[in-house]
Amino acid sequence: MLDIKFIRENKDIVQAGAKKKHVDIDIEKLITLDDERLKELKEVEDLRAEVNRVSNDIARDQDSALKIQLIEEMRTVKEDIKAKEEKLKKTIEEWQKIMLQVPNVPDMSVPEGDGEENNKEILTWGEKPRFDFTPKDHVELMLKLDMVDFERGVKVHGFRGYFLKNDGAELSWAIWNYARKFFGEKKFSTFIAPAIVRKQHLYGTGHLPGGAEDIYQTQDEDYLSGTAEIPMMGYHSNEIIGKEELPKRYLAFSPCFRREAGAHSKDTKGLIRVQEFYKLEQLILCEASHTESVKYHEEINRNFEEFLESLDIPYRRLEICTGDLKSAHVKSYDTEAWIPSQNQYRELSSASYYHDFQARRFNIRYKDEAGKYHFVHSLNSTAVATPRILVAIVENFQQADGSVKIPEVLRKYMGDREFITK
RNA sequence: GGAGAUGUGGCUGAGUGGUUGAAGGCACCGGUUUCGAAAACCGGCAUCGGGGCAACUCGAUCGUGAGUUCAAAUCUCACCAUCUCCGCCA
């Protein structure tokens, strides 16, 4: 959510930003509606002021005849207030609905483009493996190594269901433990976050409105979150954080649930696109400064790249273009790992910053030296998501005999083995 | 799931219909005193929104939302949370 004052003072910038993001919204119309809201609010407040004033007179007045007269008068004013409040309430509801749809303004540096095909490759790292045999895809490899069971996964869960088993499960734990150590050294505090969250938090992060069809809901009208970003932003909601405590640096583990409702025909086999997975997420709350936001955004994105480098997985960095940038984001990088069987890079991580867009909805503030309150800035990035990263590992490190060479940093978490074999 | 109790500012705690945005205390900030500190004393100290260059002023907020009333922290209802007991349970 943007500040209505900011919108009013920068309507051209906000309108241009929305256009770049392909969000159909009329800022001029919103401002007209806001004028209406303020006008109606003033009318109601003026009448309330009158009632308050006269009520005090009534309390002090000894003359009972005058008292009765004043009470009678106030009764009619009250009716007037009620009618005006009714009108104001409708105006505010409409105002809020539109306010939730106003997208965050993309940063100047974000490349312009219509959709994901225009995302810009910034850099690539690592050497793509060259095989002197025909590389297998992760499904074949992992089935042969008895690391996964899709048939029974579908029997039990349904479409996109899977069991990780044996070294598939071991490798997952190895990655989690390694990631904990890797990111722990970067001064994040470690959390295990709830995945069941109240609706309001999804509005806070910007996952609602829009995107509702991709989110699981419980019969208690809670939601299953698709990322620990949601509970971790909720963690400090309605709080005032001491400035000396900033930045807050969190590494949060949680199960993640995504219905993938709009993607039925995509990645129908394997572990790339599943409805239930696990993720460690980096999340930072910092003071309200663009410079700080940019600094930490670069850092958390680099953290993930360094993580991949330590595993020796080839990747590329994409700068997300305006047309593909989510409503709440100011700027995003995706990190994509090389997937040999698909002969392309696939997304493993996304790092974004939001300025105070999320903090405003969550009401997370801090007090500066002058005693003034500000909304914090928020940022987040994947630290590592399983099982998707298993795809990159088994495919890039597969051997001619169908075994998989374990990345060196993971070996001590895998019983000091060098290979996953049958 | 059943029964009962509770929910006031950063904390503590008073307040059961009328200048109460809310006493007192703690914490915090400024000052006096002191070589300095402590203690003591004096003063200040909620947030959000509207108007105003400003002093200031108006509105809202006592878990959340609705209601009763000229007037609600105080009365009514619903919801949420916490605590205690019982039941169930990894």
Side-chain angles (χ1 to χ4, degrees):
Chain A
M1 169 114 55
L2 293 173
D3 185 0
I4 183 65
K5 273 192 203 155
F6 175 85
I7 295 173
R8 294 188 72 109
E9 285 163 16
N10 302 277
K11 57 183 177 184
D12 294 340
I13 294 171
V14 175
Q15 183 70 68
K19 197 174 168 228
K20 283 182 189 170
K21 283 188 173 180
H22 297 259
V23 174
D24 182 24
I25 200 156
D26 187 342
I27 299 300
E28 203 61 61
K29 212 171 129 196
L30 171 63
I31 290 174
T32 307
L33 184 63
D34 190 48
D35 289 338
E36 184 61 28
R37 179 185 69 95
L38 290 174
K39 190 185 132 230
E40 290 174 9
L41 185 66
K42 176 108 174 69
E43 284 173 10
V44 168
E45 286 188 353
D46 285 348
L47 287 175
R48 278 190 195 144
E50 191 191 344
V51 170
N52 287 345
R53 202 169 47 238
V54 175
S55 289
N56 281 337
D57 291 344
I58 292 170
R60 262 170 295 169
D61 214 310
Q62 297 303 312
D63 181 346
S64 59
L66 183 63
K67 233 178 200 171
I68 289 163
Q69 191 203 326
L70 288 174
I71 289 172
E72 208 45 57
E73 278 173 26
M74 283 310 100
R75 220 169 255 158
T76 57
V77 176
K78 274 277 296 237
E79 266 163 45
D80 198 9
I81 291 180
K82 218 164 201 170
K84 287 197 159 72
E85 272 177 343
E86 206 61 41
K87 200 161 161 244
L88 175 64
K89 198 177 157 195
K90 284 206 179 99
T91 306
I92 288 176
E93 274 169 15
E94 202 192 334
W95 180 86
Q96 271 169 339
K97 208 174 135 202
I98 298 175
M99 283 296 283
L100 283 173
Q101 289 165 11
V102 178
N104 208 345
V105 180
D107 188 67
M108 301 275 286
S109 65
V110 173
E112 303 227 0
D114 288 335
E116 61 178 313
E117 68 281 1
N118 300 117
N119 291 340
K120 200 166 140 196
E121 183 180 290
I122 300 292
L123 58 85
T124 59
W125 181 92
E127 273 185 44
K128 296 172 189 168
R130 276 191 295 264
F131 301 102
D132 48 17
F133 55 93
T134 309
K136 303 178 178 73
D137 70 16
H138 74 280
V139 175
E140 190 180 347
L141 285 163
M142 291 179 79
L143 284 173
K144 285 224 169 97
L145 292 168
D146 204 20
M147 295 169 78
V148 70
D149 190 330
F150 292 109
E151 272 181 40
R152 292 189 178 99
V154 170
K155 179 172 74 179
V156 172
H157 164 147
F159 182 48
R160 298 193 192 283
Y162 65 97
F163 281 82
L164 287 171
K165 56 192 291 206
N166 303 321
D167 280 333
E170 295 300 328
L171 191 55
S172 301
W173 269 304
I175 289 161
W176 295 334
N177 282 319
Y178 172 57
R180 213 169 43 123
K181 180 182 161 284
F182 183 92
F183 287 94
E185 282 167 5
K186 295 183 183 296
K187 299 202 182 82
F188 287 91
S189 39
T190 316
F191 278 69
I192 296 175
I196 302 174
V197 297
R198 294 169 191 275
K199 193 177 191 174
Q200 68 210 58
H201 299 108
L202 287 120
Y203 279 100
T205 52
H207 289 88
L208 285 177
E213 72 287 342
D214 202 33
I215 309 168
Y216 289 102
Q217 199 175 346
T218 75
Q219 65 268 48
D220 303 313
E221 291 188 35
D222 294 321
Y223 287 77
L224 302 186
S225 98
T227 164
E229 166 195 350
I230 297 164
M232 289 317 291
M233 285 301 295
Y235 186 72
H236 284 298
S237 58
N238 296 315
E239 286 185 19
I240 293 163
I241 301 172
K243 187 171 183 253
E244 67 287 352
E245 291 175 57
L246 296 175
K248 292 277 191 191
R249 300 168 64 89
Y250 297 131
L251 182 74
F253 178 88
S254 80
C256 303
F257 300 92
R258 300 187 185 178
R259 289 184 69 223
E260 300 292 353
H264 271 291
S265 59
K266 289 186 194 163
D267 305 307
T268 50
K269 281 199 163 63
L271 294 172
I272 295 261
R273 193 178 298 275
V274 290
Q275 293 173 317
E276 179 178 359
F277 61 99
Y278 303 89
K279 184 158 62 68
L280 279 133
E281 181 82 359
Q282 308 173 69
L283 186 135
I284 290 184
L285 302 178
C286 69
E287 61 183 278
S289 140
H290 175 69
T291 318
E292 293 279 296
S293 271
V294 169
K295 181 177 92 182
Y296 291 121
H297 180 232
E298 295 295 327
E299 189 215 303
I300 56 179
N301 185 62
R302 264 308 287 160
N303 286 347
F304 182 71
E305 291 178 351
E306 285 172 19
F307 184 74
L308 286 187
E309 287 169 23
S310 75
L311 291 163
D312 206 24
I313 295 172
Y315 69 83
R316 67 168 179 173
R317 184 196 299 176
L318 284 188
E319 204 164 74
I320 302 304
C321 75
T322 51
D324 197 28
L325 202 59
K326 295 219 168 64
S327 170
H329 296 176
V330 176
K331 182 174 177 171
S332 290
Y333 294 128
D334 275 7
T335 305
E336 298 187 334
W338 179 250
I339 305 298
S341 69
Q342 299 191 1
N343 201 38
Q344 60 171 334
Y345 290 96
R346 297 300 307 266
E347 179 187 339
L348 281 196
S349 163
S350 187
S352 311
Y353 69 91
Y354 304 79
H355 284 158
D356 63 6
F357 190 92
Q358 294 184 320
R360 191 175 294 280
R361 292 187 182 180
F362 277 106
N363 190 27
I364 306 173
R365 294 176 296 166
Y366 70 94
K367 206 178 194 171
D368 69 16
E369 292 84 350
K372 216 175 156 236
Y373 289 89
H374 303 272
F375 292 107
V376 299
H377 279 192
S378 62
L379 315 87
N380 59 63
S381 168
T382 313
V384 65
T386 59
R388 196 179 268 190
I389 197 172
L390 300 184
V391 176
I393 292 174
V394 299
E395 290 205 13
N396 280 290
F397 300 114
Q398 62 179 297
Q399 309 293 307
D401 64 359
S403 66
V404 169
K405 192 169 187 179
I406 301 169
E408 206 155 330
V409 291
L410 294 180
R411 283 180 201 163
K412 72 167 175 176
Y413 302 101
M414 293 285 290
D416 287 317
R417 281 179 293 158
E418 197 181 346
F419 292 97
I420 295 171
T421 52
K422 194 150 186 207

